């Protein structure tokens, strides 16, 4: 998990602060406190005015998550958290014939239980009083979690536990949008596309910069009307 204090600068799949978030040496996103939960831990480069703090919780361990909230709270110094990105995720390529209970539970634990615990813990920092603006929860989901689109790629990529966990994550995102709207919190699920990463492999069509840059445009313009939706990296609505 990474906290970028005062500036929204984070590449969901990169190992450095990306140039795509700069426009003629000006910040595209300013005045924002962001917390990202991710399974990736890499090398962070200090970039100009960005204050970067690294907190490393186990997103599936309530005690670890609780400890990380206290650490983030120290860095916020009384300010609110503007954006929580639940990006942690694992994928296994099991079929109905090879799927095991152990794998199903492990994948659900990271992909669903983790975001549930993390969002519960950070909820107090995200809450807004009436008239004081909004905050947002962004769940990095996947089109493979769409029930409607199942026939399109199922034969080539069944990935049972992953598909089921992302469908559950989408439901969790909808639940967050419904319950937390009274607290001024937006919740959205975003499919980042098929990206050249360890999970997507080099055969994926999208580069990291393409995916992250497009998603950041969506995140920077989030409004109440986007809460409870499921979209791709280009902002196109994905059927549930």
């Amino acid at each position: 998990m990474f906290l970028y204090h005062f500036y929204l600068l984070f590449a969901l799949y990169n190992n450095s602060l990306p140039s795509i978030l700069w426009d003629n040496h000006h910040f595209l996103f300013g005045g924002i406190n962001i917390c990202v939960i991710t399974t990736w831990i890499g090398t962070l480069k200090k970039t100009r005015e960005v204050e970067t703090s690294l907190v490393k919780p186990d997103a599936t361990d309530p005690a670890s998550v609780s400890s990380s909230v206290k650490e983030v709270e120290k860095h916020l110094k009384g300010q609110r958290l503007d954006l929580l990105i639940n990006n942690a995720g694992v994928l296994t390529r099991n079929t109905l014939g090879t799927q095991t209970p152990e794998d199903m539970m492990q994948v659900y634990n990271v992909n669903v239980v983790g975001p549930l615990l993390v969002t519960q813990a950070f909820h107090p920092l995200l809450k807004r009083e009436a008239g004081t603006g909004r905050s947002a929860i962004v769940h990095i989901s996947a089109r493979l979690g769409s029930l409607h689109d199942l026939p399109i790629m199922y034969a080539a990529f069944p990935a049972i536990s992953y598909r089921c966990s992302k469908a559950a994550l989408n439901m969790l995102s909808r639940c967050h949008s419904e319950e937390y709207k009274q607290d001024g919190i937006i919740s959205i699920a975003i499919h980042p596309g098929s990206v050249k990463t360890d999970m997507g492999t080099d055969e994926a069509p999208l580069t990291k910069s393409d995916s992250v840059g497009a998603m950041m445009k969506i995140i920077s313009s989030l409004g109440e009307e986007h809460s409870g939706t499921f979209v791709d990296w280009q902002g196109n609505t994905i059927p549930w």
Side-chain angles (χ1 to χ4, degrees), residues 208-225:
K208 300 167 187 176
S209 295
D210 289 338
S211 175
V212 173
M215 286 191 292
M216 286 303 185
K217 289 180 181 178
I218 295 171
I219 292 171
S220 68
S221 60
L222 284 178
E224 188 175 356
E225 68 276 12

Side-chain angles (χ1 to χ4, degrees), residues 193-204:
S194 182
V195 186
K196 296 182 188 298
T197 63
D198 290 341
M199 185 180 291
T201 76
D202 289 337
E203 296 181 3

Side-chain angles (χ1 to χ4, degrees), residues 11-79:
L12 296 178
Y13 302 99
N14 223 339
N15 62 355
S16 63
L17 297 179
S19 59
I20 57 172
L21 298 184
W22 295 84
D23 180 15
N24 296 323
H25 305 291
H26 291 88
F27 288 110
L28 295 182
F29 306 94
I32 294 176
N33 298 316
I34 173 174
C35 179
V36 181
I37 305 298
T38 179
T39 47
W40 171 85
I41 298 292
T43 302
L44 297 179
K45 299 179 181 178
K46 290 188 178 297
T47 305
R48 277 173 266 196
E49 302 172 32
V50 181
E51 180 185 333
T52 306
S53 301
L54 175 62
V55 184
K56 297 186 287 185
D58 176 351
T60 62
D61 178 7
S64 178
V65 172
S66 178
S67 178
S68 71
V69 172
K70 294 176 182 176
E71 187 66 24
V72 169
E73 216 168 358
K74 292 179 185 177
H75 292 288
L76 289 175
K77 299 175 182 177
Q79 298 181 79

Side-chain angles (χ1 to χ4, degrees), residues 122-158:
F122 281 92
H123 176 235
L125 297 182
L126 290 162
K127 288 177 65 173
R128 292 291 190 275
E129 299 295 334
T132 61
R134 296 190 177 278
S135 58
I137 304 163
V138 174
H139 296 285
I140 302 302
S141 186
R143 192 172 205 125
L144 292 178
S146 168
L147 304 183
H148 178 275
D149 288 354
L150 176 67
I152 298 174
M153 289 183 60
Y154 180 76
F157 202 88

Side-chain angles (χ1 to χ4, degrees), residues 85-164:
I85 301 180
N86 284 313
N87 182 53
V90 294
L91 178 151
T92 56
R93 300 170 185 263
N94 284 309
T95 66
L96 283 174
T98 63
Q99 182 63 61
T100 65
E102 294 78 14
D103 173 77
M104 181 70 84
M105 294 301 294
Q106 178 188 10
V107 173
Y108 258 77
N109 203 30
V110 175
N111 294 1
V112 186
V113 178
L116 170 68
L117 295 178
V118 167
T119 307
Q120 279 179 338
F122 281 92
H123 176 235
L125 297 182
L126 290 162
K127 288 177 65 173
R128 292 291 190 275
E129 299 295 334
T132 61
R134 296 190 177 278
S135 58
I137 304 163
V138 174
H139 296 285
I140 302 302
S141 186
R143 192 172 205 125
L144 292 178
S146 168
L147 304 183
H148 178 275
D149 288 354
L150 176 67
I152 298 174
M153 289 183 60
Y154 180 76
F157 202 88
I160 302 302
S161 58
Y162 185 75
R163 284 180 177 275
C164 292

